Amino acid sequence: MNRLHVSGLCVSLLLLSGCPTGSTSNSQSSQFNDGLNAEIQANIHEGETSAKVVAAAFQDGVRVNLIAADVFEATTATKGVLLKSVNVHTGDYIGTLPIDDKNQPVTITIQHKPIEAREDRWYPIDILNVDPGPGELVGRFATVSFPSELDLLGPSNNTIYIDRDDNINITWTASGRDDDAMRLSAAVSCSNSSADLSYGLSYSISEDDNDGLYTIAMNKLVYNDSITAIALEFVEHITRIFLAATIEVLTFGLIDESDLTGSPINIETANCDINLTLIRERDGDLDDEFDGGKAIGSTSASTTILYRPNGI
């Protein structure tokens, strides 16, 4: 059975959160275990020689904002990069790591780097050099490796669909390992003469469908008022951030059922552009000092399809 996650593309910034050594906020809680959890993913998109690396830590379900000079660092045997905060004090970190050899693992470690961590701060690097020392998370790490590259065969870019009952056949070369998971994420942007609506979707592809062909109906991507009959769940935190990074939108937020059904847009007449991203995921290893979470290495490929109910 398809498992549906829903999230939205918002112009608002990601909500603030705290850290275990200072104040905390439950304004955006996670779905993880009690204690210290981490969500880490490194992804190589088609045609690229670098990986997008995203990371977040959670203390009792609350996102952790690393303190002072503590940073996430992603490294291979030859390259390294410090992950930067998606926005100030969000607790979400992202960076681009050059990849020389896609068969080699990537290690993501929480490091204490008083000089390097201050390079992107607003104040001059040679002043305000007050270092409280390493925080309690320093030394925690995760290791991921990449599955085989994704060869997305179809649908072709800018393929047009005119009916919400149309089936979309997503095809790819089935070259992954048996234990690799597959996911389809979509960034949907719809508009008509009076309104715009954007949101994100993520479907887990079952093992039975992980053979190079996955069929999904347009009505699973473009909704009308029948969305009230669908059981919605918030998208997993890391998938939200990863999808945002894939389409280079770093202000990904949540959208709930009322946001969709309350939109003034008439989805039966609106034109929609749908960016489909197929993701092959492989589980990595988290430091035993974490109480839970996940580390994932992945590859991805994208295509854009068009929903045009009024024809071309």
Side-chain angles (χ1 to χ4, degrees):
M1 178 180 292
N2 295 332
R3 185 182 179 190
L4 171 64
H5 300 287
V6 177
S7 62
L9 290 165
C10 302
V11 296
S12 60
L13 299 177
L14 291 170
L15 301 178
L16 301 181
S17 64
C19 59
T21 55
S23 62
T24 61
S25 167
N26 60 5
S27 58
Q28 181 124 310
S29 62
S30 73
Q31 300 177 10
F32 309 131
N33 300 328
D34 291 339
L36 181 65
N37 292 259
E39 290 288 287
I40 295 169
Q41 187 160 358
N43 179 76
I44 301 176
H45 197 62
E46 59 179 337
E48 296 186 356
T49 57
S50 60
K52 189 76 72 175
V53 185
V54 293
F58 296 80
Q59 184 68 47
D60 297 329
V62 179
R63 286 207 303 269
V64 172
N65 184 40
L66 297 182
I67 63 170
D70 294 353
V71 292
F72 282 101
E73 182 179 35
T75 59
T76 64
T78 58
K79 305 290 185 180
V81 66
L82 300 185
L83 307 190
K84 306 297 185 182
S85 180
V86 171
N87 215 297
V88 179
H89 303 310
T90 63
D92 305 317
Y93 297 86
I94 189 168
T96 300
L97 176 67
I99 300 295
D100 294 331
D101 184 351
K102 297 177 182 179
N103 294 316
Q104 294 300 311
V106 172
T107 300
I108 301 92
T109 309
I110 300 177
Q111 302 273 25
H112 183 71
K113 297 204 168 186
I115 302 300
E116 296 90 333
R118 300 167 66 238
E119 292 178 351
D120 64 341
R121 305 297 168 86
W122 62 268
Y123 49 79
I125 194 170
D126 58 345
I127 65 173
L128 297 180
N129 188 14
V130 178
D131 180 17
E136 60 188 46
L137 303 186
V138 168
R140 310 291 172 87
F141 67 92
T143 303
V144 301
S145 59
F146 298 106
S148 59
E149 294 184 32
L150 257 171
D151 182 16
L152 182 59
L153 304 176
S156 300
N157 214 37
N158 294 325
T159 298
I160 294 175
Y161 299 84
I162 61 174
D163 195 304
R164 290 182 61 255
D165 290 328
D166 287 344
N167 283 327
I168 303 161
N169 292 321
I170 300 166
T171 58
W172 66 94
T173 302
S175 58
R177 287 190 336 203
D178 290 341
D179 58 345
D180 290 341
M182 297 292 293
R183 179 182 298 278
L184 177 68
S185 292
V188 185
S189 298
C190 299
S191 64
N192 58 19
S193 59
S194 60
D196 297 302
L197 177 65
S198 297
Y199 54 94
L201 299 165
S202 183
Y203 285 93
S204 296
I205 298 177
S206 69
E207 292 183 6
D208 293 339
D209 292 323
N210 189 5
D211 58 359
L213 171 63
Y214 179 67
T215 300
I216 187 170
M218 179 61 72
N219 59 31
K220 294 291 185 66
L221 301 173
V222 176
Y223 293 113
N224 61 10
D225 289 342
S226 64
I227 192 172
T228 56
I230 299 176
L232 299 180
E233 301 176 39
F234 284 146
V235 72
E236 292 178 13
H237 176 79
I238 199 66
T239 303
R240 239 180 346 106
I241 298 298
F242 168 66
L243 177 58
T246 300
I247 61 175
E248 297 181 349
V249 178
L250 299 183
T251 53
F252 222 118
L254 293 173
I255 192 168
D256 62 24
E257 184 177 330
S258 61
D259 292 322
L260 288 173
T261 58
S263 170
I265 199 168
N266 182 353
I267 208 66
E268 297 293 346
T269 60
N271 291 331
C272 301
D273 292 0
I274 305 166
N275 178 286
L276 297 175
T277 298
L278 190 65
I279 308 165
R280 176 178 285 141
E281 299 178 335
R282 179 170 296 172
D283 287 341
D285 297 310
L286 277 177
D287 184 354
D288 290 340
E289 294 297 317
F290 288 110
D291 298 305
K294 66 176 68 172
I296 295 173
S298 60
T299 55
S300 63
S302 296
T303 188
T304 297
I305 61 174
L306 309 175
Y307 171 63
R308 297 293 186 264
N310 300 312
I312 299 174

